[in-house]
Amino acid sequence: MAAADKPDLELAARFPDLHPPFDHQSALTEANRCLYCFDAPCTAACPTHIDVPRFIKKIAQGNLRGSALTILDANILGASCSRVCPVDVLCEGSCVYHHFNKQPIEIGRLQRHAMDAFLHDGAQLPKNSVADRPGKVACIGAGPASLACAARLRQQGFSVTLFERRPLPGGLNTYGVAEYKLRASDSLREIEMIRGLGVEFRFGEEISPAKLVRLERDYDFIFLGVGLGAMHKLGIPGEDHPAVMNALEFIERYKTGAAANVGRRVVVIGAGNTAIDAARAAIRLGADNVQILYRRGKEHISAFTFEYDQAREEGVEFRWWTRPVAIHTYGATIATIECVSSEPVGFTANADLLAAPGPTTSQSLRIPCDLAIPAIGQSPLVAFLESCRGVGVEHGRVQIDRATGQTTNPKYFAGGDCVNGGREVVDAVADGKRSAVALARILEAAHA
Ligand code: SF4
């Protein structure tokens, strides 16, 4: 991703914005629709509690910088969140206009409008404390949780160093979000603003147990924002063939121009939001037929309903109750994916499949395919987490104090996907902010 700080024009043409930016007049018109509700439900619905009516009012008053600063005060990744947040189920989903059967305020696009103007002007983030203060924190990982933690601490004058094993910061924001939602160049532009605070980044840093011991010695606290590990394997014959590429690898490769040729027929296995992102990308890359296979029914998918609806509208086909059992290959290509389709007879959405599986109709089928994209979730970084001595981990998730993010080892705090198992960018930002607030309080008291 060598030139990731610059937009790729060909990629941009294939992946136009899902929610195009407002022009100035449209933003003003939309901002003036807002009722500026007292106890605004949109603010309550935002995990970072952005003061939505306040930032919208500032747009209506023509104060875009003030609007952006209101957003950034609550959410340091306000620019990327304006693009990737599932606003339909968060702020916009709670807008009072729904009660009047009217279109909710387009909060995400208004947020983007303010943030784009701020970043375009090269504006700097405010530092709440001009003087540097004693207190050093190491953040492991440079994804949204660590970035939010680091920025907030740095704004308070504390020293923060991010250790990242990859060559670029941003985690999934840079490497794993569908291009029609967030470009790598936009993710990196936002992070430059955080770097401008004086946050130190160290790339290519794998954290071994020996290095962890050194970090424990050299820093007052360690924040774990390591996310999740590799994607789960299917565990079926043929999945190591080169024409089988997991969804995160596929998204990263097409974002760098390395996987532009997807063939005519693409099969995605899994029905979460990442699976849908991969399927919709395959259509934009020229596939004629894109199918999603899911081992259970429509009622059980983890993807948001609006993502599913949009994928259907774009032509993605769904095969429910269908489980791959082998990938048959022929030289450099896939021939077919062999599947078993077993739909429960008389199944209803409320039935408990595990408690009462009931009879099924079962058939075997072979689906022709040029590219197979498994997307069945990521595994936790168990080995690494276990090397963090005294940090409690249950079912692959770091155990924390919900009020502070502190782990069972008081030297360590944690947030983001390694705690919640994989949620939204905005949840990771909220976690990082929570820990930064707690850490600043502890550091202040320690050095008073
Ligand atoms: Fe504006 Fe809707 Fe939020 Fe009310 S709920 S403040 S109308 S965006």
Side-chain angles (χ1 to χ4, degrees):
M1 216 174 257
D5 55 338
K6 301 214 171 38
D8 178 326
L9 296 181
E10 191 194 327
L11 207 58
R14 281 179 186 262
F15 289 84
D17 280 342
L18 199 58
H19 303 292
F22 277 132
D23 59 38
H24 182 62
Q25 189 54 47
S26 310
L28 276 181
T29 304
E30 187 66 3
N32 277 306
R33 284 180 64 224
C34 182
L35 303 172
Y36 311 122
C37 304
F38 182 71
D39 271 347
C42 48
T43 293
C46 171
T48 58
H49 303 302
I50 292 174
D51 190 336
V52 175
R54 188 176 167 86
F55 95 70
I56 292 181
K57 185 165 238 168
K58 287 183 176 171
I59 292 176
Q61 293 166 338
N63 178 7
L64 289 183
R65 178 181 157 76
S67 176
L69 290 174
T70 300
I71 294 162
L72 290 164
D73 189 46
N75 183 337
I76 206 76
L77 297 187
S80 52
C81 284
S82 73
R83 289 162 159 86
V84 304
C85 267
V87 290
D88 302 48
V89 296
L90 294 175
C91 52
E92 292 181 20
S94 68
C95 178
V96 295
Y97 270 106
H98 286 289
H99 300 312
F100 315 134
N101 283 329
K102 289 190 172 163
Q103 275 294 105
I105 301 296
E106 291 196 69
I107 301 169
R109 289 177 77 196
L110 285 173
Q111 184 169 318
R112 174 176 176 173
H113 185 70
M115 289 308 309
D116 278 357
F118 187 83
L119 290 167
H120 182 264
D121 292 347
Q124 299 288 310
L125 282 168
K127 252 188 174 184
N128 296 345
S129 164
V130 178
D132 284 349
R133 296 155 135 189
K136 290 167 65 182
V137 175
C139 295
I140 303 183
S146 286
L147 289 167
C149 182
R152 180 62 66 121
L153 282 170
R154 190 68 204 123
Q155 282 179 309
Q156 305 292 321
F158 300 106
S159 298
V160 191
T161 307
L162 277 80
F163 295 86
E164 168 59 47
R165 72 182 169 82
R166 309 189 76 156
L168 293 172
L172 290 179
N173 264 10
T174 300
Y175 287 102
V177 173
E179 192 73 3
Y180 51 83
K181 292 180 182 169
L182 177 65
R183 299 196 174 97
S185 54
D186 288 324
S187 166
L188 295 174
R189 180 173 67 157
E190 180 175 49
I191 295 166
E192 270 312 297
M193 181 180 66
I194 293 172
R195 194 198 293 266
L197 288 170
V199 171
E200 185 188 356
F201 289 81
R202 294 207 196 147
F203 299 109
E205 294 265 5
E206 286 282 358
I207 305 296
S208 64
K211 197 173 271 183
L212 257 187
V213 171
R214 286 202 293 279
L215 293 184
E216 286 184 14
R217 185 194 61 204
D218 295 343
Y219 290 83
D220 295 301
F221 292 99
I222 296 172
F223 178 82
L224 299 172
V226 293
L228 294 168
M231 291 204 86
H232 292 302
K233 303 273 279 182
L234 294 169
I236 61 174
E239 75 171 316
D240 293 325
H241 189 273
V244 182
M245 196 185 298
N246 77 56
L248 287 181
E249 185 187 353
F250 169 67
I251 292 170
E252 179 178 337
R253 290 188 67 184
Y254 85 70
K255 279 168 86 85
T256 62
N261 181 12
V262 295
R264 286 196 308 110
R265 300 156 305 184
V266 174
V267 172
V268 179
I269 299 139
N273 290 312
T274 305
I276 301 246
D277 278 353
R280 296 173 74 184
I283 286 185
R284 286 163 173 76
L285 291 168
D288 295 333
N289 180 262
V290 179
Q291 299 186 35
I292 283 186
L293 313 184
Y294 186 50
R295 66 192 170 91
R296 301 182 73 185
K298 179 184 164 188
E299 299 79 3
H300 304 106
I301 62 172
S302 56
F304 292 117
T305 305
F306 66 88
E307 295 269 14
Y308 165 74
D309 290 340
Q310 288 166 358
R312 286 280 307 272
E313 280 165 23
E314 290 177 7
V316 176
E317 295 172 18
F318 287 77
R319 280 183 189 262
W320 309 116
W321 305 105
T322 302
R323 178 171 56 87
V325 293
I327 297 172
H328 299 286
T329 59
Y330 182 77
T333 58
I334 295 176
T336 57
I337 300 185
E338 183 181 346
C339 302
V340 172
S341 171
S342 37
E343 181 165 2
V345 176
F347 172 76
T348 65
N350 295 327
D352 184 338
L353 281 179
L354 295 175
T360 59
T361 57
S362 187
Q363 60 168 325
S364 178
L365 68 155
R366 287 186 176 226
I367 301 172
C369 168
D370 299 309
L371 174 67
I373 306 177
I376 55 171
Q378 290 172 265
S379 36
L381 290 163
V382 175
F384 170 74
L385 295 175
E386 284 177 350
S387 73
C388 304
R389 291 171 301 171
V391 172
V393 179
E394 262 182 42
H395 306 298
R397 299 184 186 194
V398 179
Q399 301 299 294
I400 56 158
D401 177 313
R402 292 277 148 204
T404 62
Q406 195 165 32
T407 72
T408 47
N409 176 343
K411 183 102 180 168
Y412 285 82
F413 287 67
D417 288 356
C418 67
V419 170
N420 62 36
R423 294 182 63 177
E424 302 303 321
V425 172
V426 69
D427 295 301
V429 174
D431 283 3
K433 186 170 87 168
R434 170 183 60 193
S435 284
V437 169
L439 282 163
R441 207 180 304 126
I442 297 169
L443 288 169
E444 265 169 16
H447 297 286

